[in-house]
């Protein structure tokens, strides 16, 4: 089922949490809503679920306008960060709950409900634990139960709010892989919220980067990583270094010197130069960035060097081969291999 | 149009709350119930107390036996409360700062008086010190009267108010752990210095809370004291007992006048207790009663 | 760890884990002494007295029709009152935790009034209200219903003193029920009524049971607030604590002791039951109170 969010605005007590957000979610895709806390990603998810109602705008499930429907009527599966399992019910009762509360006309017979719940328990690899209580399971197991419970109602859309946020790193990595497998097998349209870029990049078909109640960029992980369309996205996804520069004569200048970087179609004037620390090359040229080494640390297979660039007040980081003999105060000359210019704010 | 309007109304309600009409209905039922069960009796006390005018009210309070009852009640509380404070401090120190066998059992035992009927709390002292007991006549031979005298009333009061301070302080001190005390000791403070300068400031609001509840019960206890007091007018009648005597003598106005003082004490206790909860909620281990 | 334990000299008592904090012997010693003097020895005196009767004597005294009658009155009325308190206490806890309305904090504070108001005061006030010429009594009188001086009056007094136990037991647990769980229920298609009856109330069951048991235990032992309103007619409205009192005034210590022992055994059984409910709730659901 495709989901279209159309010009949605959401205010909490006059405080805007989302400004005019539009997003098309394709049928069957796994899309991540990624952003720092306060970016509005959870609000957007809850609006899609019907747990919140938009101040303005509409949300379509396929061709139906879901905005007028309550959360119960939308038929979505929602997985909460803290599992939100019913503690007084066994695992089997938890999974069957959504089917058991249906009106008699649409409720499957008891035997059928049980069969489906057991099947789902099998799908989430917890067969045999149906008589346990949530309290008797580990965090990872509980989140699997929560997913099975959400899947039991055959939801039109599966929504996950920081599903791995409460788990430790090891379990989180396992569950990530496992969620991808489940998604590939069941094919539900899935939206999940995360603040962990690694998780979003690894897991999603597309990601939607959000900041301060707005969508910054939507695209495939490669697309967003390689072609960030805003300073925020460049800074938020992956590591980045930034320098204040000037564009003049179709060239990038810093401290009265050209850097040997063509400015393309950037407007002349002040600009912000972004590049990835690992995407630089050392050069022997006058038209390049030069800096004095502040600190140099060995980080795994590379040497992370912090430089004070002449002509700029702020330090930047670059990665050099680990055997590079960078010492304090040594001068380095380099150019980014790939970079991006944004107009200065 | 109508369906659209209904849909709009529906979507304004959060999925985790009830519609406003239901909410107001439930609030109304609750407040009506509270009004009838809790507030009305309180109102009735003052209403009856002043039913014959302020002159009769003051006369009832200044009457000689009433004055004696007030003095006795204050005296009993002045003995019982401090003793239970010392006990509460000792018990919570032992329980919160140390690990030892039988600790959980000891905590249960401290709560024991709460599950004993007040009349039984008085009865046990009658059995211990009354005629036919071993202790009573022996003490009497030294001129010490326990039953139908001040010591008995104090003992019965201590019994029923026994857990108040301790059960307030134990969870609080357990929560605070031993870090502060260890730090003070490592800085060279001795045990008493550590207690008075570190522990006591940490628990002062919780202690006050416990004292407040303990005092309210001590001054208001009826059943246990009724059993041991003998109700000698002007000598062994505390305020609640005097209220009963006046009431049974069909002197309702005087009974309610004296009762109004106790009701006032209850109100002051409630106000102070609420202020402590609102201002120092975390420092008095909120939620424990 | 084990080598450490082996080389550490055994402390006095030998039952606590060693730490640097002083005062263990002093505080635990005082705690146990004080507990023994105030609570334990008197209760033992009671036990010895009843043991002196022998089983036959005990059963004979216990099967006195008036004793059985008073126990029946106490238990039946306490059961009714605790049941009513569970219904309204749960509702009150719900309204106080979930809804925001003017004066909520004041109403919340007033819940504790029965803890603070002396029972004798509550007793005469309730009697004044529910007497045929009282505020509430006058409402029911035309219907031919009498409340004061009947078992209904006992139930009213027991509702008064038991209510805070139910509310204060449920409140903290209800605050813990996360919004997420209710949202989860809604996303799974449950309507609000289903969410409340199938998700929220069942998760409150242990607290409701505990509150019921506490209110029941308190009501059975209650004396002061009941005797004024009860009418105290043997076999009809004479409660067990009152009969203890009457037996004592007749110097029938044996009769008083027997009733006291029966009541104590039942209170301890209730105490045990409460502990079992909480242990069960903790082990199964991971929470208790």
């Amino acid at each position: 089922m495709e989901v279209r969010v159309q010009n949605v605005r959401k205010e909490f007590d006059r405080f805007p949490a989302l400004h005019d957000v539009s997003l098309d979610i394709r049928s069957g895709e796994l899309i991540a809503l990624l952003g720092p806390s306060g970016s509005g990603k959870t609000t957007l998810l809850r609006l899609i679920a019907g747990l919140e109602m938009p101040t303005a705008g509409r949300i379509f499930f396929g061709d139906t306008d879901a905005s007028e429907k309550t959360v119960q009527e939308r038929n979505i599966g929602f997985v909460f960060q803290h599992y939100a399992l019913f503690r007084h019910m066994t695992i089997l009762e938890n999974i069957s709950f959504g089917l058991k509360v249906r009106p008699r006309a649409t409720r499957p017979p008891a035997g059928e409900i049980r069969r489906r719940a057991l099947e789902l328990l099998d799908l989430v690899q917890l067969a045999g634990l149906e008589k346990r209580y949530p309290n008797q399971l580990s965090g990872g197991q509980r989140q699997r139960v929560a997913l099975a419970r959400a899947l039991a109602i055959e939801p039109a859309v599966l929504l996950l709010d920081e599903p791995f946020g409460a788990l430790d790193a090891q379990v989180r990595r396992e569950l990530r892989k496992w969620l991808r497998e489940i998604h590939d097998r069941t094919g539900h349209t899935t939206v999940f919220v995360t603040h962990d870029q690694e998780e979003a990049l690894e897991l999603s078909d597309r990601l939607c980067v959000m900041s301060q109640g707005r969508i910054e960029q939507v695209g495939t992980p490669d697309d967003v990583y390689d072609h960030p369309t805003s300073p925020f996205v460049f800074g938020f996804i992956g590591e980045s270094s930034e320098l204040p520069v000037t564009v003049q004569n179709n060239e990038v200048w810093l401290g009265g010197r050209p850097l040997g970087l063509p400015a393309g179609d950037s407007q002349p004037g002040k600009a912000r130069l972004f590049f990835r620390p690992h995407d630089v090359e050392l050069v022997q040229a006058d038209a390049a960035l030069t800096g004095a080494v502040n600190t140099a640390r060995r980080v795994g297979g590379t040497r992370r060097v912090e430089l004070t660039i002449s002509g700029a007040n702020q330090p930047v980081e670059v990665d050099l081969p680990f055997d590079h003999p960078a010492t304090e105060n040594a001068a380095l000359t380099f150019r980014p291999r790939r970079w991006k210019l944004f107009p200065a704010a | 149009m109508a369906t659209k309007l209904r849909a709009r109304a529906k979507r304004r309600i959060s999925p985790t709350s009830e519609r406003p009409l239901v909410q107001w209905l439930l609030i109304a039922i609750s407040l009506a119930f509270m009004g009838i069960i809790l507030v009305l009796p309180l109102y009735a006390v003052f209403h009856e107390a002043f039913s014959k005018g302020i002159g009769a009210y003051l006369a009832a309070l200044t009457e000689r036996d009433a004055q004696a009852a007030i003095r006795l009640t204050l005296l009993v509380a002045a003995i019982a409360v401090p003793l239970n404070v010392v006990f509460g401090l000792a018990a919570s120190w032992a329980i919160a700062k140390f690990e030892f066998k039988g600790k959980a059992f000891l905590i249960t035992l401290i709560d024991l008086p709460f599950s004993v009927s007040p009349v039984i709390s008085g009865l046990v002292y009658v059995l211990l010190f009354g005629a036919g007991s071993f202790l009573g006549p022996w003490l009497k031979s030294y001129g010490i009267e326990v039953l139908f005298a001040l010591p008995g009333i104090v003992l019965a009061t201590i019994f029923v108010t026994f857990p108040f301070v301790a059960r307030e302080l134990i969870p609080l001190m357990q929560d605070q752990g031993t870090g502060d005390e260890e730090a003070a000791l490592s800085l060279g403070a001795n045990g008493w210095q550590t207690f008075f300068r570190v522990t006591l400031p940490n628990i002062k609001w919780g202690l006050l809370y416990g004292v407040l509840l303990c005092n309210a019960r001590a001054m208001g206890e009826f059943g246990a004291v009724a059993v041991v007091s003998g109700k000698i007018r002007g000598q062994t009648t505390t305020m609640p007992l005097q209220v009963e005597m006046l009431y049974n003598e069909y002197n309702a106005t005087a009974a309610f006048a004296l009762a109004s003082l106790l009701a006032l004490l209850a109100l002051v206790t409630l106000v102070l207790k609420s202020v402590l909860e609102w201002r120092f909620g975390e420092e008095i281990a909120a939620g424990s009663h | 760890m084990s080598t450490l334990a082996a080389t550490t000299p055994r402390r006095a008592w030998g039952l606590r884990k060693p730490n640097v904090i002083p005062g263990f012997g002093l505080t635990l010693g005082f705690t146990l002494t004080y507990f023994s003097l105030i609570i334990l020895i008197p209760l033992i005196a009671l036990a010895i007295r009843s043991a002196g009767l022998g089983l036959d004597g005990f059963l004979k005294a216990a099967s006195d029709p008036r004793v059985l009658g008073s126990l029946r009155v106490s238990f039946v009325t306490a059961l009714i009152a605790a049941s009513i308190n569970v219904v309204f206490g749960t509702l009150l806890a719900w309204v106080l935790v979930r809804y925001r309305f003017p004066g909520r904090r004041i109403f919340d504070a007033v819940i504790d009034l029965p803890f603070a108001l002396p029972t004798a005061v509550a007793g005469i006030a309730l009697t004044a209200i529910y007497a045929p010429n009282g505020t509430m009594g006058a409402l029911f009188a035309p219907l031919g219903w009498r409340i004061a001086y009947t078992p209904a009056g006992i139930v009213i007094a027991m509702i008064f003193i038991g209510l805070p136990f139910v509310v204060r037991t449920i409140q903290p647990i209800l605050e813990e029920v996360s919004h997420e769980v209710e949202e989860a229920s809604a996303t799974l298609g449950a309507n609000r009524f289903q969410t409340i009856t199938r998700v929220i109330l069942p998760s409150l069951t242990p607290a409701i049971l505990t509150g019921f048991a506490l209110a029941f235990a308190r009501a059975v032992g209650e004396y002061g607030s009941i005797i004024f309103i009860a009418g105290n007619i043997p076999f009809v409205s004479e409660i067990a604590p009152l009969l203890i009192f009457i037996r004592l005034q007749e110097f029938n210590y044996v009769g008083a002791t027997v009733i006291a022992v029966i009541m104590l055994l039942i209170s301890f059984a209730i105490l045990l039951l409460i502990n079992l409910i909480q242990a069960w709730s903790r082990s199964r659901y991971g929470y208790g109170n």
Side-chain angles (χ1 to χ4, degrees):
Chain A
M1 171 96 51
E2 61 173 15
V3 177
R4 276 183 299 136
V5 178
Q6 246 176 33
N7 304 96
V8 161
R9 189 158 54 83
K10 176 66 182 173
E11 292 172 4
F12 291 108
D13 298 330
R14 299 279 161 79
F15 174 80
L18 283 180
H19 313 261
D20 199 30
V21 162
S22 296
L23 176 66
D24 284 358
I25 296 165
R26 295 169 195 157
S27 188
E29 79 171 332
L30 180 55
I31 186 167
L33 303 180
L34 174 67
S37 59
S39 59
K41 55 189 191 300
T42 296
T43 305
L44 180 55
L45 191 80
R46 291 170 60 87
L47 283 165
I48 297 173
L51 289 170
E52 309 282 352
M53 291 299 176
T55 312
R58 333 232 99 210
I59 292 164
F60 291 91
F61 281 19
D63 293 325
T64 0
D65 184 353
S67 324
E68 299 290 346
K69 290 188 171 176
T70 64
V71 55
Q72 287 93 347
E73 295 161 346
R74 288 194 194 186
N75 192 34
I76 46 100
F78 202 102
V79 174
F80 294 83
Q81 177 174 5
H82 298 287
Y83 332 124
L85 294 178
F86 307 130
R87 292 189 287 187
H88 61 283
M89 294 182 199
T90 61
I91 301 310
L92 193 72
E93 286 164 344
N94 263 282
I95 299 175
S96 337
F97 182 83
L99 297 174
K100 282 188 186 163
V101 295
R102 285 194 182 164
R104 188 156 297 152
T106 53
R107 189 194 313 153
E112 168 70 9
I113 292 179
R114 189 185 155 80
R115 194 188 58 74
R116 263 158 72 177
L118 286 172
E119 212 175 270
L120 279 162
L121 204 58
D122 209 30
L123 176 76
V124 299
Q125 299 161 3
L126 291 175
L129 297 187
E130 63 269 18
K131 287 192 182 132
R132 299 273 186 94
Y133 284 86
N135 188 40
Q136 299 163 322
L137 301 187
S138 71
Q141 289 174 323
R142 285 184 215 185
Q143 201 55 297
R144 288 165 190 244
V145 174
L147 185 71
R149 184 179 68 176
L151 290 173
I153 59 169
E154 291 171 346
V157 187
L158 188 59
L159 306 167
L160 304 99
D161 185 10
E162 302 253 8
F164 312 125
L167 302 169
D168 56 33
Q170 176 77 28
V171 182
R172 195 185 299 191
R173 269 193 298 275
E174 274 171 31
L175 277 194
R176 227 187 260 168
K177 243 184 257 165
W178 167 83
L179 177 65
R180 182 74 231 186
E181 283 168 25
I182 295 246
H183 175 263
D184 292 347
R185 211 174 326 157
T186 59
H188 282 100
T189 306
T190 305
V191 187
F192 78 101
V193 159
T194 180
H195 63 266
D196 181 347
Q197 48 161 309
E198 195 190 314
E199 190 168 292
L201 290 168
E202 182 183 327
L203 195 50
S204 62
D205 295 323
R206 286 200 304 157
L207 44 107
C208 166
V209 185
M210 300 187 64
S211 166
Q212 300 186 341
R214 293 191 168 82
I215 292 179
E216 291 276 339
Q217 188 173 358
V218 182
T220 64
D222 284 356
D223 199 26
V224 173
Y225 189 86
D226 292 334
H227 306 288
T229 55
S230 72
F232 173 81
V233 176
F234 211 120
F236 190 70
I237 310 277
E239 293 178 311
S240 66
S241 289
E242 180 191 350
L243 283 170
V245 295
T246 329
V247 173
Q248 216 181 320
N249 303 336
N250 279 334
E251 270 219 84
V252 181
W253 297 66
L254 177 65
R257 276 163 31 131
L259 302 180
L261 305 174
D265 47 8
S266 291
Q267 294 295 311
K270 285 194 187 316
R272 298 162 73 184
L273 174 72
F274 280 84
F275 57 91
R276 305 273 182 212
H278 62 81
D279 218 1
V280 297
E281 55 188 347
L282 292 172
V283 291
Q284 304 272 323
D286 286 342
L289 286 161
T290 346
V293 175
N294 292 342
T295 59
R297 285 171 289 119
R298 168 83 187 264
V299 182
T302 60
R303 190 168 294 277
R304 170 64 53 93
V305 177
E306 191 192 273
L307 298 162
T308 305
I309 302 291
S310 48
N313 285 330
Q314 68 201 76
V316 299
E317 289 186 330
V318 298
D319 288 347
L320 300 177
F322 71 88
D323 50 359
H324 187 280
T327 54
E328 229 170 279
N329 295 326
L332 284 179
T333 306
F334 67 96
R335 264 190 218 132
R337 266 191 288 258
R338 271 180 290 185
W339 72 95
K340 187 100 185 161
L341 279 173
F342 295 104
Chain B
M1 196 60 212
T3 44
K4 188 143 196 175
L5 273 178
R6 208 170 314 130
R8 283 207 170 271
K10 197 161 61 177
R11 72 191 201 134
R12 290 298 145 208
I13 303 159
S14 143
T16 54
S17 72
E18 292 72 46
R19 21 185 109 232
L21 185 69
V22 176
Q23 290 198 15
W24 286 112
L25 194 68
L26 294 180
I27 291 173
I29 295 173
S30 301
L31 297 192
F33 183 78
M34 271 185 80
I36 292 170
I37 294 295
L38 300 180
V39 182
L40 196 58
L42 193 62
Y43 167 77
V45 172
F46 291 100
H47 178 79
E48 298 284 331
F50 289 102
S51 61
K52 291 195 177 142
I54 188 115
Y57 178 78
L58 290 176
L61 292 187
T62 48
E63 190 256 338
R64 203 170 50 90
D65 291 340
Q67 292 280 312
I70 294 171
R71 275 197 304 275
L72 180 62
T73 295
L74 293 175
L75 177 64
V76 169
I79 302 170
V81 175
L83 281 171
N84 277 340
V85 166
V86 174
F87 161 73
L89 288 169
S92 53
W93 182 273
I95 287 170
K97 306 294 178 193
F98 301 95
E99 291 302 322
F100 56 90
K101 281 179 200 157
K103 192 158 106 165
F105 185 57
L106 182 58
I107 295 174
T108 311
L109 283 182
I110 287 174
D111 267 352
L112 196 62
F114 277 158
S115 27
V116 175
S117 169
V119 173
I120 299 177
S121 313
L123 166 72
V124 292
Y125 290 109
V126 174
L127 297 182
L128 197 60
F129 295 108
S133 72
F134 160 74
L135 271 177
W138 180 71
L139 285 172
K140 206 166 190 165
S141 67
Y142 290 94
I144 302 172
E145 297 273 5
V146 176
L147 279 189
F148 315 131
L150 182 66
I153 298 174
V154 170
L155 280 173
T157 305
I158 292 178
F159 188 109
V160 293
T161 57
F162 184 84
F164 279 101
V165 180
R167 70 176 348 223
E168 195 56 50
L169 291 183
I170 291 168
L172 180 59
M173 277 170 74
Q174 279 180 327
D175 217 37
Q176 290 177 345
T178 55
D180 288 9
E181 283 74 19
E182 281 161 2
L185 292 165
S186 76
L187 294 168
N190 67 32
W192 290 110
Q193 285 171 323
T194 302
F195 173 74
F196 282 108
R197 297 196 184 188
V198 177
T199 311
L200 203 53
N202 276 343
I203 58 169
K204 60 175 182 277
W205 298 119
L207 180 62
L208 184 58
Y209 190 89
V211 167
L212 217 53
L213 299 181
C214 182
N215 180 64
R217 180 73 192 263
M219 291 191 172
E221 177 52 28
F222 178 69
V225 174
V227 173
V228 295
S229 105
K231 295 179 194 167
I232 308 163
R233 192 174 273 264
Q235 287 179 38
T236 64
T237 44
T238 59
M239 286 166 77
L241 295 180
Q242 182 75 9
V243 167
E244 185 204 15
M245 289 171 86
L246 291 168
Y247 189 84
N248 287 344
E249 290 159 4
Y250 302 101
N251 192 349
T253 310
F256 277 104
L258 206 52
S260 74
L261 286 189
L262 290 168
L264 208 59
L265 168 77
L267 281 179
V268 170
T269 304
L270 276 190
V271 169
L272 290 178
K273 174 177 165 298
S274 304
V275 169
L276 282 178
E277 280 168 3
W278 296 341
R279 292 207 41 196
F280 307 104
E282 321 233 301
E283 292 170 66
I284 54 175
S288 57
H289 282 276
Chain C
M1 239 2 247
S2 58
T3 49
L4 194 77
T7 53
T8 309
R10 286 181 80 83
R11 299 294 176 103
W13 299 91
L15 44 64
R16 76 158 169 119
K17 288 191 195 151
N19 72 13
V20 297
I21 294 177
F24 180 70
L26 178 71
T27 54
L28 188 66
F30 180 79
T31 301
L32 294 177
T33 311
Y34 190 78
F35 177 78
S36 305
L37 287 178
I38 300 291
I39 312 289
L40 200 58
I41 293 175
L43 284 179
I44 288 172
L46 179 75
I48 291 173
R49 281 279 179 136
S50 63
L53 295 174
L55 189 61
D56 284 350
F58 188 91
L59 288 179
K60 189 159 163 280
S63 55
D64 174 271
R66 196 168 161 192
V67 170
L68 292 178
S70 73
L71 286 170
R72 203 195 66 236
V73 170
S74 279
F75 281 92
V76 172
T77 49
L79 214 56
I80 296 171
S83 307
I84 294 172
N85 271 334
V86 157
V87 174
F88 283 96
T90 309
L91 177 66
L92 275 169
W94 177 269
V95 165
L96 289 172
V97 169
R98 289 307 175 93
Y99 300 155
R100 294 293 169 266
F101 54 93
R104 183 183 65 91
R105 297 230 286 189
I106 292 170
F107 281 104
D108 189 75
V110 170
I111 293 284
D112 282 338
L113 182 72
F115 286 147
L117 192 70
T119 53
V121 177
I124 61 170
L126 289 170
T127 313
I129 296 168
Y130 290 95
N133 59 351
T135 324
M136 296 297 293
L139 288 179
F140 293 103
L143 304 171
W145 294 354
R146 285 184 53 206
I147 294 176
Y149 319 122
T150 70
I154 303 180
V155 171
I156 294 280
M158 286 175 167
I159 292 173
F160 175 84
I161 47 117
L163 184 64
F165 289 93
V166 180
V167 178
R168 295 304 188 216
T169 316
I170 295 174
Q171 248 178 338
I173 306 299
L174 188 56
E175 269 161 13
E176 261 183 46
V177 173
S178 75
H179 256 267
E180 281 194 350
V181 171
E182 291 172 49
E183 289 181 349
S185 170
T187 62
L188 293 165
N191 63 35
R192 191 65 190 149
F193 182 74
Q194 289 172 318
T195 299
I196 290 174
T197 54
R198 297 196 179 196
V199 175
I200 302 174
L201 286 181
S203 69
L204 294 179
T205 305
I208 291 175
L209 287 175
T210 304
F212 177 87
L214 286 170
F216 177 77
R218 175 69 202 264
V220 165
E222 178 57 18
Y223 173 74
S225 59
I226 295 175
I227 52 158
F228 297 97
I229 200 172
N232 306 328
I233 305 155
F235 302 102
V236 177
S237 58
E238 183 179 68
I239 54 167
L242 177 66
L243 192 57
I244 296 180
F245 198 89
I246 292 170
R247 292 287 187 248
L248 273 178
Q249 285 186 323
E250 298 163 352
F251 299 100
N252 180 354
Y253 288 2
V254 171
T257 305
V258 167
I259 307 170
V261 168
I262 296 172
M263 290 186 63
L264 272 183
L265 289 178
I266 292 162
S267 335
F268 293 161
I270 295 172
L271 200 65
L272 186 69
L273 183 73
I274 293 172
N275 280 318
L276 287 177
I277 293 171
Q278 294 185 344
W280 163 75
S281 153
R282 259 193 303 274
S283 72
R284 167 157 292 184
Y285 304 154
Y287 61 91
N289 53 293

